[in-house]
Each structure stands twice: as structure tokens, then as C-alpha cells.
Amino acid sequence: MTGETQAQGAGQSQAPGAGQTQAQAGGQQQSPFEFHRESSGRAGVTLMNNQIGHAVADVMRTKPNVTVRDLPSMIRVDAVGMVEFNFDELTDAVGEEFDQNAFEEIMSTHYGRMVALDDRMVLFANPEDAAEYLGFDLKPVSPGTS
């Protein structure tokens, strides 16, 4: 696929339909914009198509289970399960300090539960996976109790 790269960890699979050719998808043309109610199991961001966005995308291309797609006006970074943007690693790649403010400046959209930490930004496909960072109370609630 033109403009798209992917790195995967050993033994880990990609979300169904993601990155498939027309033949792999059963011969039917699949739109990347289809709506599905079920969870995709993915999290990601849209970055600005500029020098810093490209430097960040180049780092993310090396990560397992991350797909980077260059589009005319933006760069998509999508991951299976979770994706982590390590600010120290990105500072080295960009050549200047990269922190939460710099990340928010180049990110136009995101999907998944976002957790902002001092040294990194993490997005989770499953909100329950972010519970330990956010202080969620995941205890089951019985009907009729308050």
C-alpha cells in the first residue's frame, strides 16, 4: 500500500480488515471509512503533515503493532491495543524539546482513552486498560445499590 508502513511484534495479529488488499478481504472493495458498532481494538492519532509530524511518524513506524499512513494533509498513526508516544525518544528524533504541549500542537484528532503523563502520552483501545492510570473504580455495581 502506498504511503503505509506497519511493524508488528512476533505472534501478534492485526485487526481484521486493516491493511488487507481487495483480494484478502474476500474480493470486495472495503472502505476505510465504514462504520461498525463493535470495538476496533485500536487507538491512534492524526498528526499534522509537517516536519515535526514526519519525525514523530518515523519513530512510530518502528513500534510493534503500529501502522503509519501518510495522507496528503495529515499522517495517521494507528495501533492495536495501545500506543505510547515517549517524549524523550521523540525529543531525540525531533532535535528539540518534545513534551505534551508539542504533542498537542501537532495532533489534530485522537481515538481511544488518552492518558497524559509527564514523560509520555498513552492511548488505549480499551478504556478499562487505562483504569490504573486514571483511578477508575471498576468494581461491579449491583442493581438497587448506590
Side-chain angles (χ1 to χ4, degrees), residues 1 7 22 34 42-43 46 56 77 84 87 89 93 106 119 137:
M1 299 175 105
Q22 185 174 350
E34 289 183 25
R42 298 174 67 82
T46 302
V56 171
V77 178
E84 179 177 304
F87 296 153
E89 186 177 23
I106 64 164
D119 62 342
D137 178 6

Side-chain angles (χ1 to χ4, degrees), residues 41 49 69 79 85 102 106 116 130 136 139 143:
N49 188 351
R69 187 171 180 202
F85 295 85
I106 64 164
F136 282 176
K139 296 176 185 171

Side-chain angles (χ1 to χ4, degrees), residues 49-134:
N49 188 351
N50 63 14
Q51 294 88 345
I52 296 175
H54 280 281
V56 171
D58 288 344
V59 169
M60 300 312 292
R61 281 184 173 92
T62 67
K63 306 293 182 188
N65 296 318
V66 173
T67 302
V68 175
R69 187 171 180 202
D70 294 296
L71 299 165
S73 63
M74 65 187 112
I75 304 167
R76 289 289 308 177
V77 178
D78 303 293
V80 176
M82 58 103 40
V83 60
E84 179 177 304
F85 295 85
N86 181 301
F87 296 153
D88 289 337
E89 186 177 23
L90 296 174
T91 293
D92 292 341
V94 170
E96 60 186 49
E97 183 180 1
F98 193 91
D99 57 11
Q100 185 173 344
N101 292 328
F103 183 77
E104 290 178 4
E105 186 176 312
I106 64 164
M107 179 195 66
S108 59
T109 63
H110 78 278
Y111 68 102
R113 175 68 70 178
M114 181 182 281
V115 177
L117 303 168
D118 290 339
D119 62 342
R120 64 192 186 276
M121 186 73 73
V122 186
L123 289 98
F124 296 90
N126 183 353
E128 289 81 13
D129 294 340
E132 69 180 89
Y133 294 98
L134 301 174

